[in-house]
Amino acid sequence: MGTAGTAGAVRPGAIMSAEIDQQPEVLGRLWAEQAPELRRIRAELDRRRHRFVLLAARGTSDHAALYAKYLVEVCQALPAGLVSPSTSTIYGVRPDLSGVLHISVSQSGGSPDLVDSLKAARSCGATTVAVTNNVDSELARAAEFVVDVRAGTERAVAATKSYTAQLLALYLLLGPEHGVADTGSDAARLAEAAHATLQGMDAVAATAARYRFANRLVTTARGYSYATAREAALKLMETSYLGAQAFSGADLLHGPMAMIDGETPVIAVATPGRGGTAMTPVLQTLYERKADLVIVGGTDEALAAAPTASVLPVRTEGIPEELHPVLDILPLQQLALRLALERGVDPDAPRGLRKVTETW
Amino acid sequence: MGTAGTAGAVRPGAIMSAEIDQQPEVLGRLWAEQAPELRRIRAELDRRRHRFVLLAARGTSDHAALYAKYLVEVCQALPAGLVSPSTSTIYGVRPDLSGVLHISVSQSGGSPDLVDSLKAARSCGATTVAVTNNVDSELARAAEFVVDVRAGTERAVAATKSYTAQLLALYLLLGPEHGVADTGSDAARLAEAAHATLQGMDAVAATAARYRFANRLVTTARGYSYATAREAALKLMETSYLGAQAFSGADLLHGPMAMIDGETPVIAVATPGRGGTAMTPVLQTLYERKADLVIVGGTDEALAAAPTASVLPVRTEGIPEELHPVLDILPLQQLALRLALERGVDPDAPRGLRKVTETW
C-alpha cells in the first residue's frame, strides 16, 4: 500500500496477475479468520438500531460501497445512501447524524477527503466503521469500528484482491444473518468457487482478442451485480484505456441504448437470481439492436434472450445470489489484464495513476 | 408526453432546438407562478421534520435527483440517498420509512418502476412527493404531494426544458430558505441569465465542429454541477451516439485519469463558487495530461489552471451557486444538438429510444 512506483516488475502485468490469482486464498482466509470479529462488530451495530446507513468511498472501493448499499437495503431493510464527500469537505455541512451508520470503504485508508468525511460524520453523531486493507491508516484510526479485509499488501495499481475482500467483509457485516453464522464450510465453498471461476481463461482470452481494437465498451447489470458492471468498466479504463461505461440495465433502456449498435461491445452480467432474471428484457433489447454481447455468468434464461452472445463462465453453484459479485468480477479482472497485454500496455504501470489518490 | 414517434419534424433537430430555446420563459414562469404552491408544500414538509431524504428517478431526471441530493445535504443539512428502485421492485424489500421523505422525479410520470417504488415507499410510511411535468400521470396520482414543473408538452426525445424546470422546482422546494421568499425579481433575473447564456452559440458551434469526429468524450464537475456533467454525457450519448462518460472531479483522479490523453476531449464545468474552485486541481492535472479541454463557465482560477482550454460561457452574474446547474447545462444541450446535426443525425429521432421508457 502507498507505494507509488510498480514499474520495476519483471513481466508486464505480473503483479496484477499474481494478485488476481491470490483471491481464492484471500477470500477463504478472510471468512474463516475474521468471522468472529465481524460477528462481534455486527452484534454491536445491530444493538444500536440505526435508522439509516451512509456509505463513503472513492474509485474501486466506491463499487464495494454500491454493493453494500444493496445489502443494507435488501438484507437490513434500511434506507441507504452513498455519501458525496464534497458536501462536508467542500460545502462544510454538519448534519445531525445521530442514529446513522457511516461506513467508509478504502483499500489504503489514506484518501484525505474520506478521512475528513468520516471525522465529520463521527463529530455529527454517526457510528463510524472503516472497511480497509490498512488497519494502521488514518481512516482506521479515525473510525470507531475497523474491519480489516486482510487482503495482504496490494501492489498493483489496479485493485483486485482488496476489492473482492471488501465485498466479502461487507457481506459478512451487512448481508443475511446466517452469513456469519457458519464459517468453515461456507468459506471453503466460496474459495473453491473463486478458484474454479478463475480457470475460465480460454473464454477470457477469446474475448480479449475480440476486443483488441475496440475503443469503447458498455457494461451492464442489475441488482447486486450492478457493482460488478461499474467495477469492470473502471478496471478496463484503468488498464486498457478503453472508454468503458457502466449502466444499470434499467438506466440503459433510458437513453444510452441509442448509442448501442453492432459496433458496440456490451458486457452484461446475468447469474442465477433475481438480478439476473431482471436483465432478461435488457438482453432481449441488446440482442435486437445487434450489440456484440458477452454475458458474464449466462443463465439459460439469459441465453434464450440473447442466443448469439458469448459467455464468460462463473461458478455460482451453491453460492447465494448476494455473494455472486465476489465471483462475477473475477473473469472481468482477468479480461482487463489480458486486454491490456493484448494492446501492448503494462497494466502494472498505467499512465497517470498512483496507488493512493489524494482528493480533498 | 408519451408520444413515441417524433420523426415527422420538418427540419432535423427542430423540436429539440425549439424546446432548448423555450427554457428562459419556462424557468421565469415556473418561478413566478409556482412559488406560492411550492412555499406551501415546503412549509408542510418542514413541519414533518424528516430525518432522511430518498430520491428516485431514471435517465435525465436522475440527474435532477442528483442535484437535489446536494441541495438536501447542503441546504437542509439532512442525509440523502438515491433510491435503487430494484430493491423494492426486484427484491421486494419493505423497510420502515417513517420520517423519510421520498421524492420521485419524472418528466412523464409514467415509468412503472418509479410508480411502484413510490407506492412501496408510501406504504412503508414515507412522505411522498412527485416532481413531474405531467400532473395527470400515475406517479402524480400515487404521491401525497405533487410538484408541477410546468415545462409544457415536451416532444423531443432528448429532454431539455423539463430537466431545467425540474432543477428549478427542486431548488425552490429544497434549496436555501430565501429562494422561495422573493419571487418576481429573482425569477426575472434567472430567465435573463438563461437567455443570455443561450446566446453563446459561436463557442458551441466551434466546439461541435471540433468534436465532429470524436467518438468518445469525458465530462467532469464537482458539487452541484456534477449533475450537469452527468446530464451532458447522457445528452451527448442520446443525440450524437458519442461514448460520453461523466466523472466527479474527485473520482476522475481515482483511476479514469489513466485513459485521458491528448486524444481525449474533456468538458469540465467550473463556474464561480465552491464546486468550481474544487475543480482547480482536476483542471491542472487534465492540463498536464494534455487533454483537449473545454471549460463550461470558466473562472479566472480555472483558466489559470488550464490556460489552453477553450470556454463555453455561462452568465452566472447575480445567480447563486446553487442555481448554476440550471444555466451551465444550457450550452451543453446546444452542443448535443449541434454535434448531432454536424454528424448527420437527427436528434429528434434517436435510434432505439422512446419518450417513455418502461422498466420494471
Side-chain angles (χ1 to χ4, degrees), chain A residues 95-118:
Chain A
D96 172 9
L97 296 181
S98 57
V100 170
L101 172 59
H102 175 110
I103 302 176
S104 292
V105 188
S106 172
Q107 192 278 128
S108 70
S111 185
D113 66 343
L114 284 182
V115 175
D116 290 350
S117 172
L118 183 138

Side-chain angles (χ1 to χ4, degrees), chain B residues 40-217:
Chain B
R40 188 192 68 76
I41 297 175
R42 185 174 174 134
E44 177 59 26
L45 297 182
D46 285 352
R47 206 185 52 74
R48 297 194 190 181
R49 302 188 146 281
H50 296 101
R51 56 191 169 93
F52 182 62
V53 181
L54 286 173
L55 297 145
R58 291 275 185 209
T60 288
S61 302
D62 203 27
H63 308 140
L66 180 62
Y67 166 72
K69 180 170 185 288
Y70 282 85
L71 289 176
V72 169
E73 294 184 1
V74 179
C75 304
Q76 305 281 329
L78 282 177
L82 299 176
V83 168
S84 311
S86 66
T87 57
S88 65
T89 61
I90 298 179
Y91 295 102
V93 182
R94 293 289 177 268
D96 173 8
L97 296 180
S98 57
V100 170
L101 172 58
H102 175 110
I103 302 176
S104 293
V105 188
S106 172
Q107 192 278 128
S108 69
S111 185
D113 67 343
L114 284 181
V115 174
D116 290 349
S117 171
L118 183 138
K119 285 181 180 170
R122 193 169 182 176
S123 74
C124 294
T127 301
T128 52
V129 178
V131 176
T132 179
N133 198 29
N134 185 358
V135 291
D136 295 326
S137 62
E138 207 183 334
L139 188 73
R141 280 193 297 273
E144 185 178 355
F145 298 95
V146 179
V147 173
D148 183 357
V149 305
R150 294 202 182 197
T153 302
E154 185 167 67
R155 291 173 60 214
V157 177
T160 55
K161 63 177 182 174
S162 67
Y163 174 68
T164 50
Q166 286 168 353
L167 296 183
L168 178 57
L170 289 162
Y171 170 81
L172 296 171
L173 195 66
L174 303 165
E177 190 78 48
H178 58 79
V180 277
D182 321 330
T183 52
S185 64
D186 290 339
R189 194 180 305 122
L190 182 68
E192 277 166 31
H195 178 77
T197 299
L198 286 169
Q199 304 313 304
M201 271 305 287
D202 288 354
V204 168
T207 307
R210 186 175 182 87
Y211 295 157
R212 167 68 181 85
F213 291 103
N215 58 35
R216 63 185 218 209
L217 185 149

Side-chain angles (χ1 to χ4, degrees), chain A residues 24 27-29 31-32 35 39 168 171-172 176-194 317-320 323:
Chain A
L27 295 167
R29 191 178 55 212
W31 199 334
R39 254 200 304 274
L168 177 56
Y171 170 82
L172 296 172
E177 191 79 46
H178 57 81
V180 277
D182 322 328
T183 53
S185 64
D186 290 339
R189 194 179 306 122
L190 182 67
E192 276 166 33
E317 301 85 354
I319 307 293
L323 265 177

